[in-house]
Amino acid sequence: MSVIETTPSREGLPLLVIPNCVPVMVKAFRELLPEFDGICRVRLFTDTMLDEEVLARRMKGADAVIVVGFHVGDDLLRTMSQTVRCIAFGGTGVDNYVNLEQAKEYGIRICNIVHYGDAAVAEHAIALLMEITRRVGEMNADMHEGVWHPLDGMELYGKTMGIVGFGGIGQWVARIARGFGMNIKVWSRHPHEEAMRELQAASVESIHDLFASSDVVSLHLAYNRNTRGIVTADDLDALRAGSILINTARAELIEAGSLAKRLEKGDIYAGLDVFDREPMPEVDPLRVVPGTILTPHAAWCTDTAVRNAVRQCIDSVRGFYTGEATNVVV
């Protein structure tokens, strides 16, 4: 662990603390920290830390905090509220990372980041899909072991891509899928009429109908109290044999425990980048059920998306100090 500080001697300036950092974001933060010169002091901790007591100590005396990769529980938020008046989250769906009503009562501004990695996440969703349908990684491993064994695959041309949620990422996935010659079906809580026309997408009445009529289903809903468990065991049972489920959104969108049970039947496939517990425990049924491709919540990890995320965090805090409102949730 190392600590990067800017102008630590200027104690008259307010203090911004980044108490925990994802390794891939450290470089981008370091490059942009000079933008706070004359506005505030900055204290950046470059390690990944989840211990609330340690985090609380690191944030002591901070006026603003950038939160990356950890939940702010009610007790931690209460401690932070003694001095903190702005929290900028390095993610979009913040209401499951912090109690927004409690933050509002404390007078803490909450900011998020939006559309920072739409293309990155969409491309990763398609990468998971391609690994399932063409098994490139599996054949590559065989080739490096000296095994020449072509594996059969599945063509995507003419198949139906069902998309749950049709915001920025969902629309990117649809564009790529259209490029493969796939038909697009969409279930969305919000109308996106222009994008639906552009992508020749058909709307369906329910998630269940989408699961029952698609060859591939990709989840792209924001996670909140209204979408928790929105995909039920009954929906998963509607998947036809040979169907593929892709989830680069949030694991909690799926009814707890139901996906592993569905995959145990061995007749569908899943490409997953998100899990109920992260990091994923060593003992987890999703590690051993058949037909799964797993990645460690990496869909957003591209150079462009990382810099976009850091850029928005910086802008949100600068706005707080300069009297502007940038990506304010509450």
Side-chain angles (χ1 to χ4, degrees):
M1 185 271 292
S2 63
V3 182
I4 300 168
E5 295 193 69
T6 65
T7 57
S9 61
R10 300 188 62 181
E11 295 186 0
L13 290 175
L15 175 64
L16 162 64
V17 174
I18 308 168
N20 166 81
C21 199
V22 178
V24 296
M25 302 180 83
V26 172
K27 180 181 177 182
F29 271 121
R30 292 188 69 162
E31 291 176 351
L32 294 176
L33 290 185
E35 296 192 15
F36 289 112
D37 288 353
I39 297 175
C40 68
R41 295 171 290 145
V42 180
R43 188 175 298 146
L44 165 63
F45 293 83
T46 62
D47 63 336
T48 300
M49 170 56 61
L50 300 178
D51 187 297
E52 286 199 355
E53 291 185 5
V54 175
L55 291 169
R57 288 198 299 270
R58 292 181 176 186
M59 292 184 288
K60 186 176 182 180
D63 306 277
V65 171
I66 294 177
V67 170
V68 178
F70 68 91
H71 286 76
V72 177
D74 289 353
D75 290 341
L76 181 58
L77 183 63
R78 187 177 302 109
T79 300
M80 294 168 66
S81 70
Q82 297 175 22
T83 60
V84 174
R85 289 296 170 264
C86 176
I87 300 175
F89 277 87
T92 300
V94 299
D95 61 347
N96 62 306
Y97 279 85
V98 63
N99 186 327
L100 295 180
E101 290 300 319
Q102 189 176 354
K104 188 174 181 180
E105 291 177 7
Y106 291 146
I108 300 175
R109 174 187 289 191
I110 304 292
C111 305
N112 69 347
I113 56 179
V114 295
H115 300 299
Y116 66 95
D118 287 358
V121 176
E123 290 172 8
H124 194 87
I126 297 299
L128 291 169
L129 174 60
M130 294 301 292
E131 182 57 38
I132 291 170
T133 58
R134 299 314 303 261
R135 305 165 73 178
V136 172
E138 192 175 344
M139 286 187 282
N140 174 65
D142 284 346
M143 289 290 286
H144 283 283
E145 292 295 324
V147 177
W148 184 281
H149 180 53
L151 299 175
D152 61 344
M154 177 195 302
E155 284 192 21
L156 294 174
Y157 180 81
K159 298 292 194 301
T160 297
M161 166 70 82
I163 300 175
V164 180
F166 207 51
I169 299 172
Q171 291 175 34
W172 267 110
V173 169
R175 290 187 186 97
I176 300 171
R178 284 294 298 169
F180 287 140
M182 300 184 76
N183 304 306
I184 309 299
K185 289 187 176 182
V186 173
W187 180 86
S188 177
R189 296 174 300 163
H190 307 289
H192 298 276
E193 295 176 2
E194 184 176 344
M196 294 284 285
R197 286 193 299 270
E198 174 196 342
L199 296 164
Q200 302 175 43
S203 177
V204 297
E205 290 296 320
S206 70
I207 291 177
H208 190 84
D209 291 342
L210 188 79
F211 272 66
S213 61
S214 300
D215 300 293
V216 181
V217 176
S218 196
L219 304 184
H220 300 290
L221 276 178
Y223 172 68
N224 53 51
R225 65 192 67 178
N226 297 318
T227 60
R228 183 179 183 89
I230 196 170
V231 175
T232 66
D234 190 43
D235 296 327
L236 295 174
D237 285 340
L239 288 170
R240 300 175 300 215
S243 297
I244 300 167
L245 175 68
I246 304 294
N247 191 2
T248 54
R250 288 296 301 274
E252 293 89 343
L253 295 173
I254 302 174
E255 182 181 340
S258 61
L259 180 56
K261 289 181 181 178
R262 180 65 182 87
L263 286 164
E264 284 175 357
K265 297 179 181 180
D267 65 338
I268 66 168
Y269 304 89
L272 308 174
D273 186 54
V274 289
F275 307 93
D276 290 324
R277 291 177 58 193
E278 297 181 0
M280 191 181 193
E282 290 186 14
V283 179
D284 189 297
L286 291 174
R287 290 188 186 273
V288 296
V289 290
T292 56
I293 298 295
L294 311 177
T295 55
H297 205 146
W300 67 282
C301 280
T302 67
D303 52 354
T304 300
V306 167
R307 189 167 181 85
N308 287 344
V310 172
R311 171 80 271 167
Q312 290 190 44
C313 287
I314 298 293
D315 289 346
S316 293
V317 177
R318 275 180 56 88
F320 166 71
Y321 284 128
T322 60
E324 300 172 3
T326 303
N327 290 347
V328 174
V329 178
V330 296

